[in-house]
Amino acid sequence: MIPLFKPYMPELKKIEEILYSGKLTSGFYRNGFEHKLKDFFRTDRYITANTFSNAIYVTLTALGIGAGDEIIASPMACLVSTQPYLTMGIKIIWADVDPLTGTLDPDNVRKKITPKTKAIVHNHFCGYPGYLSEINSIGYEKGIFIINDCIEAFGSESDDKLIGLDGADASVFSFGPVRIPNTIDGGGVIFKDHDIYKKSILIRDCGIDRTLFRDELGEINPECDINLKGYSAMMNEVNAYIGFCQMDVTNKLLNAQRKNALIWDSFLLENAIGIPIARKNTKPNYWIYGMRVKNKRKTIETFRDQGYYASGVHVNNNIYSVFGDDSYLSGVVEFNNSFVAVPCGWWLNSDG
């Protein structure tokens, strides 16, 4: 059966050299991976982290968001995207989604804002861009941070701009096993504000300023103060090398997925199985190909019978008691009951 997800792995000619180099962290490839990411996004405010969760923690700490604060988020997201906020002691207020796209409904977001709201976390469901200009405008108007949850949206575009360059205060990316690019595990963040970006570099390394941390003998310098809370979140050389190599083919893989999406567009048009998830002026990365159907279970079974591993991918997080909010959200229910994804990855034609 053609899988819905499949990790890409390039030839890794120097992996053994790195493993036995004695330099497994903070070396050439972490810096090189970050430089390639900065070139891809044409920004100088991109950092990497060793996990997606740590990328979120660094982001929240850099923005000054913590225990007792509230954030507004979509329950139509991966648990990896939502659980970190709970572990920081942040209260999540669920907002409804547009039932046609699975992304945040700007009008409903407005209704959820309280004096405790510090950020809106904007998930771009399965790589399909949400209402970026509308959500970003709310943040600007209300003085609330906007955090793009780009766990599945690397390379997705809206209004001819890559998500991450749209004006959000921070955009958090995953480099997990089934992402493009993947580093087996890892994450990254683009910050809008240069000072917050510089602050985040210290936060991801236990608050340490490496230019001052050691003296001329290489000993820890007691005069180097640590005045920021931080994390051990630096990406190691092995993971960074994998990402470094993948950046050379990232556009090729994204283009292959978009070509596959055109084939699915024609298939749905000819067979009237479902309605593709689509919005004007957006360009998904087609991590998966999404559609809305009348009978979700039957459609999944039909595609699987034909050799395509179809799935609903995620379930709405407000069903989980850990979040303490099982509010009924009509758009979420409608979307979750109708959404089906089929494989659209770079491997589709070669396996099919």
Side-chain angles (χ1 to χ4, degrees):
M1 186 177 292
I2 297 174
L4 188 60
F5 311 120
K6 184 175 180 178
Y8 176 81
M9 195 57 60
E11 186 177 3
L12 301 171
K13 296 179 181 180
K14 296 187 177 181
I15 194 74
E16 190 168 349
E17 177 185 324
I18 294 169
L19 288 171
Y20 295 99
S21 68
K23 186 71 173 178
L24 295 178
T25 186
S26 301
F28 174 83
Y29 288 106
R30 196 209 73 214
N31 293 329
F33 182 38
E34 287 190 357
H35 282 306
K36 287 192 175 188
L37 288 164
K38 289 176 179 179
D39 287 345
F40 183 90
F41 284 94
R42 297 182 182 178
T43 180
D44 60 355
R45 300 181 304 280
Y46 203 119
I47 68 161
T48 57
N50 53 5
T51 69
F52 178 64
S53 293
N54 273 343
I56 293 175
Y57 295 141
V58 170
T59 299
L60 293 172
T61 304
L63 294 176
I65 302 171
D69 292 331
E70 292 182 0
I71 60 101
I72 296 171
S74 164
M76 291 307 309
C78 180
L79 270 171
V80 181
S81 290
T82 52
Q83 276 274 23
Y85 297 94
L86 287 187
T87 62
M88 290 280 283
I90 297 167
K91 183 177 181 180
I92 299 177
I93 306 297
W94 299 124
D96 210 350
V97 303
D98 179 345
L100 303 183
T101 64
T103 57
L104 278 175
D105 174 358
D107 291 335
N108 193 253
V109 167
R110 282 185 175 276
K111 296 176 182 177
K112 302 288 182 171
I113 295 172
T114 76
K116 291 185 177 181
T117 304
K118 288 294 183 70
I120 299 167
V121 179
H122 194 182
N123 176 264
H124 304 285
F125 186 80
C126 285
Y128 286 85
Y131 293 92
L132 285 114
S133 61
E134 293 87 345
I135 296 294
N136 290 349
S137 293
I138 294 172
Y140 182 79
E141 175 191 336
K142 300 291 185 179
I144 298 170
F145 290 119
I146 303 297
I147 301 172
N148 278 328
D149 173 14
C150 302
I151 186 171
E152 297 147 356
F154 188 100
S156 295
E157 300 178 21
S158 180
D159 294 320
D160 297 320
K161 292 182 181 179
L162 286 164
I163 295 180
L165 304 179
D166 54 273
D169 295 283
S171 298
V172 190
F173 298 85
S174 169
F175 303 133
V178 295
R179 316 298 180 199
I180 294 177
N182 88 72
T183 60
I184 301 180
D185 200 2
V189 191
I190 294 174
F191 290 96
K192 181 173 72 173
D193 183 86
H194 186 75
D195 290 338
I196 293 175
Y197 159 73
K198 297 292 286 186
K199 185 179 177 182
S200 76
I201 293 174
L202 304 182
I203 290 169
R204 70 163 174 184
D205 191 18
C206 298
I208 297 170
D209 182 346
R210 290 289 170 180
T211 65
L212 303 173
F213 190 59
R214 294 191 180 274
D215 62 19
E216 66 277 4
L217 291 177
E219 293 294 293
I220 293 176
N221 180 5
E223 295 183 7
C224 175
D225 186 29
I226 306 297
N227 55 26
L228 288 172
K229 295 179 180 179
Y231 309 89
S232 180
M234 300 281 277
M235 182 176 285
N236 66 57
E237 282 292 274
V238 174
N239 295 104
Y241 173 60
I242 295 170
F244 179 88
C245 294
Q246 292 200 16
M247 288 304 296
D248 292 337
V249 295
T250 292
N251 277 321
K252 179 181 177 181
L253 299 179
L254 291 171
N255 289 336
Q257 295 184 172
R258 287 173 173 138
K259 288 180 180 178
N260 290 336
L262 294 175
I263 297 172
W264 279 124
D265 285 343
S266 297
F267 179 84
L268 291 193
L269 185 63
E270 293 171 6
N271 294 275
I273 292 175
I275 300 172
I277 303 296
R279 280 186 56 233
K280 290 182 178 179
N281 302 320
T282 64
K283 190 177 180 182
N285 62 7
Y286 292 105
W287 179 66
I288 51 83
Y289 184 90
M291 66 187 81
R292 292 180 294 113
V293 301
K294 291 183 178 179
N295 189 321
K296 182 171 182 171
R297 183 179 181 87
K298 182 179 178 181
T299 303
I300 289 173
E301 290 174 345
T302 297
F303 275 109
R304 291 187 184 181
D305 288 343
Q306 294 174 359
Y308 298 95
Y309 194 93
S311 172
V313 187
H314 299 303
V315 68
N316 48 305
N317 288 186
N318 59 331
I319 68 170
Y320 297 120
S321 60
V322 69
F323 292 104
D325 180 5
D326 60 355
S327 302
Y328 178 83
L329 300 167
S330 60
V332 167
V333 172
E334 182 178 341
F335 180 78
N336 189 54
N337 288 342
S338 65
F339 178 79
V340 171
V342 291
C344 198
W346 47 270
W347 63 90
L348 182 58
N349 288 330
S350 60
D351 282 0

